[in-house]
Amino acid sequence: MSASLTEWIGEADAARHLEYFKVSQASLDLANIRSRPDDYYISLVGELFERMRTNSDEAAGWALLGNALADLASRSDEDLQRIRILRSKTALFAATAFYCGGFPASAYLTLKTTAPNRSDAEAMRACFDLMRRPKLAEMTSDVGQKLVRSIRRGDEPAFKEITGTAVAQASDSLAVGPDAWIPARLFEKLTERLLATNVRTVLPDGWTPFWTPFVESLLNRGTWEFFPSQIEAIERGLLVRNETYSLQMPTGAGKTALCETLLFHHAKTTEPTPNERALGRSKVALFLVPLRSLASELRNTVVKRLNRLGVSARCAYGGTIPTNDEKGSLDQTRVIVATPEALLGLLGASVGLLGRISLVICDEGHLLDGGGRGVSLELLLTRLRARENGPPRFVFVSAIVPNIEEINAWLGGSDEDVVRSDYRPAIAEYATLRHTGAGVGLTIDLVLHPHEQPPVQVAITNFLSRTDFEYLNPLTGRRNTYPFESMNTRAISAGRKALPMGAVALFAANKRGDQGAIGLAEKLIDQLSHALPLPKPIDYAVPDRIRPIVQYLTLEYGPNWLGTRMTAKGAILHHGDIPQEAREVVEGLLRAGGVRFVICTSTLAEGVNLPIRTLVLYSVHRRTGKGPAKPLLTRDIKNLVGRAGRAGATTKGLVICANPNHWEQVECVARQDAGEPVQGALYALIERMKQILAQQSVELTNDDMEASHRLHTLIDGIDATLIDLATDEIGEDVLVLEARRIASETFAAQGADDDFKAVLDNVFELRARRVASVGAGRLGWLRETGARLRIIDSVEKGLLPKPVLWETVADPLDPTLVDALLEWVWKQADVQEGLREAHRKKPSDDLTPLQAPLFQNVKAWLRGERFQAIARATNQDLDDVLGVHGRVVSYVLQVAVEQGVALLAKFLEEQERELAPAVVAFPEHLRFGVPTPQARILAVDGLRHRSAAVELGNALQTQGEDRDVLNAAALNGLREHEQVWRDRLGDLVYENTLTDLGISTPDAGEAE
């Protein structure tokens, strides 16, 4: 592309931004754009056909051209009539540029709302069909229908015949004239590219019946071809070679779809024999995801689709002790999507599961550096590598690991099996705010492409100025100015100005405080209480979609909760303390286009796919404790900005750095710097231990490690691995040797110095001796339950002697039982540390005053009370209740109770006593927060809303505990007394619960 056309496109882009932002700027030379739009259009079309003629493979140029043409196609009817161009034809040219450049999702989006005229030539209508991808019956061209049928049926000769005909027709049409040649030439290029990129061609033996069910699944969701990043991985042998691979692909480049393809291929090429199936020896593929939010998303997409294709898949992301339903179907499961902690529970519940795993996909692999989560992940991968029957095949996936070759080598791969791609299906552009002047003369400019040189770099002056913050005071009748000196006001206002372009996410590195997401949300609501001339989120929201969400949040959290007030204003709040159920509700609202504005923390960057057009970075410095704020890592910023510009949602994204002092960190990402290497949280932890031990000249002991909360993830992971190896026949010395061998196979040990390895070996040796000191029978308990070795003494000496009739308790919510379990769990270090974090307490602070509120919180949760009622019952701020729930009740406390009850049952069995079913059921009541057996069964069966399980369970207490009876009775009751239940549950929960119950029984893969 010529420099002059590139400059022209840049000027047009700047002009378009001025229109979006409603900023007039005399200083920017836009004469070419305003006085010669027809020449501009002709130049763009000429570039399009020149690129098609030369078969250009420069993706960035194609994307630039596609966005320029798409911008023209989105102009007003008056503008298009003035320069005498047709919207449909211009949109088609834009889509063609995107498609030829390898951006099929952008091509689809460009033509999504544009249809051909019935009078258009067959070739023109076929072009629209190929890029709009309507249902077969809605296609307007015969040739488009034939192409899709050939892909669906696997009819390669028919497909090639159509593409061959397209070439001949394009050649013949040249003699007819431009009106015939243009659509014919476009169709020729589109079919030529589709021939190379369609799913059948790319897949190995893709035209065979083997792939037909999967191809139909892809076609039904509008996926006809693979992205270049996916094609490269498949062509490098990802599906057909049984080697360890590592994939580095940017966010949004199709990693999940590629993993789904691999899971289907693995399941179908390793089909068990009847004898293997009967003995429960079928091979299993594991899709390991580090976050419950990501697991939940995959449960509702990949897992459901695989089950529909006849592949037994399931998702586990709840506690560490699986339910009876989860354990019951493990023998026949072929695909497991799980978080590391949930997988540990499954491995304990199924003795043979570890040996059956033949493929492990490790998603978001950069989280090896993620604190305790990273330690747990590394030890789990090490455990899989060190298993008795040899390691499985690994596929390590991440968008942001620069030293991915090192990790791939650790997992057993070679450099030839590392696939790197910088392809993004929607490009990201960058901008920063820059202020000049002060007081009444303060103005804020927006500098587009600040990492480039002029003329590519363009400054939009007066992007924000005094006039944006003037409003009429209704009390005085005078015009006032809203203060706009603060950085949070500028960041919010920049986000509001970007609303006309699409969905906006305003990111804060922290959650609480004036500089956190909560403070930004309060500031937004304060801004909106004044009639500023800035765009309002509610004006870009869909009232019919917002109304049921506001009703849901009001019922659960109350009308005064910040998240409720935000949603009522047309925006949403998203951070880690918001319960998973509510996060999924507001994420669904954003995905559906019901709102366009979200204020969030890094939870939005952790694997969740949302349609963000503009990302405003309020701060890329995170404050922890009372120390100074620290910059985020380059790779973390890269992962975050990957959310701007999502395939199928926008054709490009914009990242605005609100604080110019932070641009240095963001610029590294804009320039595509590699970022920091991943060393692993285990390495950091052992290195710190090495330094402390050297400084204090002390010897490490098991008691020291078990007394340190920071080391619990480490010793739990080591223990779980060694417990697998410990048998009656193996002696302590042999176990120590095995422990040292496993230590040497961790990623942390690769290339480490001798002093480091000595500390690492010592830690593993100490844990081996601790494991060897436990009787073989009790090690069997730990294997079966997945419980932590370090709590076994606490259960025996602290829980078992409680004055509870463990064999005869009849009610899971019996006060004596609940009090006994809570008193025991209070003394667990993990629970105390979780409370300390939730309440932001110092290590020296006394936590005793927090005991009663915690117990009240848990008891109200067990009664099925909603969060606003729990806050009232405990006389606490709702955000504090949510913080305790997210950090303590919903995981740390729940896991401790699950494991404590599981071990308690074993101690009673040893005494020839049997734990009462009510006690066995208690952990599930705690997990789901339900008061009745009926509610528990409905929750386990997959009702997505807790309030529905609670209310229906209360209403069906006389119906017994047969799940089929309960599901039928619940569905009938909802239908027969619709208005009563709508009033009780709210419209959203009512409609979703009807959907949940409409499936008579959940798929095997939908158990939590």
Side-chain angles (χ1 to χ4, degrees):
M1 185 178 296
S2 67
S4 59
L5 182 56
T6 300
E7 183 176 349
W8 209 346
I9 291 173
E11 292 172 351
D13 187 52
R16 189 59 166 159
H17 278 97
L18 291 176
E19 293 175 10
Y20 279 128
F21 301 143
K22 293 183 170 54
V23 174
S24 59
Q25 184 167 338
S27 62
L28 189 63
D29 184 10
L30 301 176
N32 283 340
I33 297 301
R34 290 171 175 159
S35 64
R36 299 170 54 202
D38 47 352
D39 289 343
Y40 178 56
Y41 173 74
I42 292 170
S43 296
L44 292 176
V45 175
E47 175 69 17
L48 171 68
F49 281 95
E50 176 62 18
R51 283 177 165 268
M52 289 196 301
R53 184 186 68 79
T54 60
N55 291 313
S56 171
D57 60 357
E58 187 212 356
W62 280 114
L64 189 67
L65 181 61
N67 277 300
L69 286 163
D71 174 64
L72 275 178
S74 66
R75 297 278 173 170
S76 67
D77 290 338
E78 181 181 353
D79 283 348
L80 295 177
Q81 289 171 2
R82 182 164 51 85
I83 57 179
R84 297 185 299 279
I85 66 174
L86 295 176
R87 186 186 308 279
S88 60
K89 182 178 287 187
T90 307
L92 178 61
F93 289 161
T96 302
F98 283 130
Y99 195 82
C100 290
F103 302 94
S106 293
Y108 159 78
L109 185 65
T110 303
L111 287 185
K112 184 177 179 181
T113 58
T114 305
N117 297 316
R118 286 289 176 183
S119 59
D120 286 340
E122 168 76 3
M124 180 71 81
R125 287 183 281 115
C127 290
F128 273 87
D129 283 344
L130 288 191
M131 286 182 288
R132 289 178 69 231
R133 300 167 193 177
K135 295 180 181 178
L136 193 62
E138 298 171 358
M139 284 188 159
T140 61
S141 68
D142 291 337
V143 68
Q145 292 181 359
K146 290 177 181 177
L147 270 174
V148 176
R149 286 195 185 100
S150 66
I151 296 174
R152 187 177 295 273
R153 295 171 181 170
D155 190 347
E156 186 177 16
F159 187 93
K160 288 185 173 180
E161 181 182 351
I162 295 170
T163 57
T165 301
V167 174
Q169 289 177 341
S171 178
D172 294 343
S173 65
L174 190 59
V176 178
D179 288 342
W181 178 77
I182 288 174
R185 175 64 170 152
L186 291 177
F187 185 64
E188 175 196 7
K189 295 303 296 183
L190 293 177
T191 55
E192 179 183 279
R193 182 165 185 87
L194 186 60
L195 177 61
T197 62
N198 79 82
V199 291
R200 289 280 193 182
T201 298
V202 173
L203 291 169
D205 297 322
W207 291 95
T208 63
F210 173 91
W211 286 107
T212 296
F214 188 74
V215 167
E216 287 181 345
S217 174
L218 292 174
L219 293 177
N220 290 340
R221 48 189 135 130
T223 300
W224 294 13
E225 66 269 285
F226 287 113
F227 291 156
S229 50
Q230 297 167 320
I231 293 172
E232 181 180 359
I234 293 172
E235 289 181 344
R236 293 275 296 276
L238 176 67
L239 299 180
V240 296
R241 296 182 63 208
N242 195 34
E243 307 294 332
T244 285
Y245 273 74
S246 287
L247 311 177
Q248 186 182 54
M249 298 164 60
T251 300
K255 294 188 296 291
T256 301
L258 187 60
C259 290
E260 182 181 349
T261 307
L262 177 56
L263 291 170
F264 174 84
H265 182 267
H266 176 272
K268 291 300 183 180
T269 55
T270 59
E271 287 279 8
T273 65
N275 186 51
E276 289 173 330
R277 187 178 289 110
L279 295 174
R281 294 178 180 172
S282 56
K283 292 183 178 179
V284 172
L286 172 63
F287 195 173
L288 197 60
V289 294
L291 306 164
R292 284 186 282 177
S293 58
L294 184 53
S296 174
E297 182 178 348
L298 294 174
R299 174 196 180 206
N300 292 312
T301 53
V302 172
V303 170
K304 285 188 174 181
R305 288 195 291 261
L306 288 174
N307 276 303
R308 285 195 289 266
L309 292 173
V311 175
S312 178
R314 60 163 30 213
C315 185
Y317 61 93
T320 61
I321 305 294
T323 66
N324 288 330
D325 288 337
E326 290 173 332
K327 289 186 283 189
S329 58
L330 276 174
D331 286 350
Q332 304 306 321
T333 298
R334 302 296 317 286
V335 172
I336 296 175
V337 177
T339 56
E341 60 272 12
L343 177 65
L344 290 175
L346 294 177
L347 292 175
S350 176
V351 176
L353 178 59
L354 180 64
R356 292 171 53 208
I357 297 172
S358 57
L359 169 66
V360 177
I361 302 174
C362 181
D363 196 16
E364 302 292 333
H366 55 276
L367 289 174
L368 278 170
D369 263 352
R373 179 193 295 152
V375 172
S376 178
L377 177 59
E378 181 171 338
L379 290 173
L380 177 57
L381 293 175
T382 303
R383 180 180 178 184
L384 289 162
R385 290 186 66 228
R387 69 179 182 181
E388 189 176 357
N389 61 326
R393 179 195 184 198
F394 292 96
V395 175
F396 184 86
V397 184
S398 177
I400 54 173
V401 177
N403 59 323
I404 199 166
E405 286 86 359
E406 294 178 21
I407 298 173
N408 190 65
W410 169 58
L411 293 173
S414 64
D415 288 351
E416 290 73 29
D417 301 321
V418 175
V419 181
R420 288 180 178 271
S421 174
D422 59 3
Y423 168 81
R424 281 196 57 175
I427 63 172
E429 299 176 329
Y430 292 83
T432 187
L433 299 183
R434 181 183 64 195
H435 67 274
T436 55
V440 295
L442 175 66
T443 62
I444 295 101
D445 302 339
L446 181 74
V447 182
L448 295 170
H449 317 297
H451 55 299
E452 304 286 359
Q453 296 297 316
V456 177
Q457 182 189 116
V458 176
I460 298 177
T461 58
N462 295 317
F463 173 66
L464 293 171
S465 64
R466 181 188 180 95
T467 57
D468 290 305
F469 299 95
E470 292 181 342
Y471 65 97
L472 185 67
N473 188 323
L475 298 179
T476 64
R478 297 178 179 177
R479 296 201 67 77
N480 291 356
T481 301
Y482 188 91
F484 63 101
E485 293 82 6
S486 67
M487 197 62 66
N488 54 11
T489 296
R490 299 178 194 177
I492 292 167
S493 304
R496 292 177 64 176
K497 279 241 174 176
L499 274 168
M501 296 194 299
V504 176
L506 175 55
F507 168 80
N510 287 93
K511 177 182 59 195
R512 293 179 179 269
D514 293 341
Q515 297 181 12
I518 290 175
L520 288 172
E522 293 282 13
K523 177 65 75 172
L524 172 63
I525 289 178
D526 182 66
Q527 266 197 23
L528 294 173
S529 68
H530 300 79
L532 306 183
L534 293 167
K536 301 178 183 65
I538 195 66
D539 293 339
Y540 297 88
V542 181
D544 288 345
R545 291 188 183 275
I546 285 181
R547 197 174 298 112
I549 309 300
V550 172
Q551 181 190 39
Y552 163 79
L553 295 174
T554 300
L555 287 170
E556 292 291 334
Y557 305 99
N560 297 321
W561 181 54
L562 183 57
T564 309
R565 291 185 286 135
M566 279 270 290
T567 307
K569 296 290 186 182
I572 62 174
L573 179 63
H574 193 287
H575 60 71
D577 282 354
I578 297 175
Q580 182 68 28
E581 179 187 310
R583 271 193 271 170
E584 290 177 13
V585 167
V586 296
E587 287 166 9
L589 180 62
L590 186 60
R591 280 195 191 95
V595 295
R596 276 193 181 185
F597 201 100
V598 54
I599 294 177
C600 62
T601 60
S602 59
T603 53
L604 205 67
E606 293 176 337
V608 179
N609 296 318
L610 294 172
I612 303 302
R613 172 60 173 84
T614 302
L615 175 67
V616 180
L617 299 174
Y618 164 62
S619 171
V620 292
H621 288 195
R622 178 175 289 124
R623 189 176 300 278
T624 56
K626 295 185 178 179
K630 296 181 179 179
L632 297 179
L633 297 175
T634 297
R635 66 167 188 258
D636 290 336
I637 300 174
K638 183 180 291 189
N639 199 38
L640 182 66
V641 303
R643 307 293 157 184
R646 299 296 296 181
T650 62
T651 62
K652 63 180 177 178
L654 176 65
V655 178
I656 299 176
C657 178
N659 189 335
N661 295 326
H662 293 181
W663 170 245
E664 183 179 354
Q665 283 80 50
V666 180
E667 184 178 17
C668 293
V669 178
R671 294 189 181 281
Q672 296 296 312
D673 290 353
E676 306 80 2
V678 169
Q679 288 186 309
L682 177 59
Y683 180 89
L685 183 60
I686 298 296
E687 182 66 23
R688 179 61 178 155
M689 289 176 65
K690 184 185 81 171
Q691 295 171 2
I692 293 173
L693 291 171
Q695 291 168 1
Q696 299 180 357
S697 298
V698 296
E699 289 188 7
L700 188 65
T701 68
N702 275 316
D703 289 342
D704 292 335
M705 289 192 288
E706 292 182 12
S708 173
H709 170 76
R710 292 186 177 182
L711 300 181
H712 282 174
T713 302
L714 171 64
I715 62 177
D716 290 343
I718 296 173
D719 291 351
T721 302
L722 297 178
I723 287 167
D724 271 348
L725 298 173
T727 63
D728 291 338
E729 297 77 20
I730 192 170
E732 181 175 323
D733 291 342
V734 176
L735 187 60
V736 167
L737 290 175
E738 281 295 296
R740 287 177 174 273
R741 180 183 67 82
I742 294 168
S744 70
E745 293 188 7
T746 61
F747 182 56
Q750 312 307 305
D753 61 39
D754 291 341
D755 290 342
F756 179 96
K757 290 180 180 178
V759 175
L760 183 64
D761 286 350
N762 190 30
V763 170
F764 272 76
E765 177 178 342
L766 286 170
R767 296 318 296 172
R769 299 196 185 282
R770 177 73 171 93
V771 168
S773 70
V774 179
R778 294 187 177 184
L779 287 178
W781 299 354
L782 295 173
R783 282 192 210 97
E784 185 177 340
T785 63
R788 296 158 177 160
L789 183 152
R790 60 184 168 84
I791 73 167
I792 196 167
D793 291 341
S794 173
V795 173
E796 182 178 20
K797 298 171 183 177
L799 186 57
L800 182 62
K802 291 285 184 187
V804 180
L805 297 177
W806 296 115
E807 301 102 316
T808 59
V809 174
D811 180 3
L813 270 60
D814 182 294
T816 304
L817 170 63
V818 175
D819 286 340
L821 289 170
L822 290 180
E823 287 167 5
W824 172 78
V825 85
W826 169 258
K827 297 178 181 178
Q828 303 305 305
D830 295 349
V831 171
Q832 297 233 341
E833 189 61 29
L835 273 176
R836 199 178 299 280
E837 291 178 4
H839 288 282
R840 300 172 298 286
K841 296 291 185 180
K842 295 182 293 185
S844 58
D845 289 341
D846 180 17
L847 299 183
T848 303
L850 302 178
Q851 182 175 2
L854 174 65
F855 287 10
Q856 292 171 346
N857 185 320
V858 174
K859 290 176 181 178
W861 169 254
L862 287 166
R863 290 194 298 269
E865 294 183 13
R866 300 173 191 262
F867 283 104
Q868 61 170 320
I870 294 175
R872 287 195 301 267
T874 58
N875 196 29
Q876 289 181 296
D877 179 80
L878 179 57
D879 281 326
D880 288 336
V881 168
L882 295 180
V884 170
H885 183 81
R887 294 171 184 264
V888 183
V889 178
S890 70
Y891 184 66
V892 175
L893 187 144
Q894 171 194 316
V895 167
V897 168
E898 283 177 347
Q899 298 192 354
V901 169
L903 287 175
L904 177 64
K906 296 300 181 183
F907 277 111
L908 289 174
E909 286 178 17
E910 188 178 51
Q911 300 174 9
E912 297 184 352
R913 300 160 62 192
E914 184 176 356
L915 192 63
V919 185
V920 175
F922 178 82
E924 284 189 0
H925 283 266
L926 179 62
R927 180 193 295 195
F928 297 108
V930 291
T932 64
Q934 291 75 22
R936 173 176 54 81
I937 292 166
L938 291 170
V940 170
D941 269 10
L943 288 196
R944 75 189 83 172
H945 296 292
R946 170 177 172 252
S947 60
V950 170
E951 296 291 348
L952 287 167
N954 289 339
L956 299 173
Q957 291 187 63
T958 61
Q959 297 292 322
E961 299 183 22
D962 182 280
R963 67 176 49 191
D964 292 334
V965 172
L966 285 174
N967 275 280
L971 186 58
N972 291 336
L974 289 174
R975 287 173 171 166
E976 290 176 9
H977 306 284
E978 178 177 345
Q979 195 55 53
V980 171
W981 282 106
R982 281 189 182 275
D983 293 341
R984 190 179 299 182
L985 300 176
D987 292 334
L988 174 78
V989 176
Y990 177 84
E991 295 290 349
N992 286 346
T993 305
L994 274 182
T995 301
D996 295 341
L997 291 170
I999 304 171
S1000 56
T1001 57
D1003 290 338
E1006 295 179 25
E1008 292 185 11

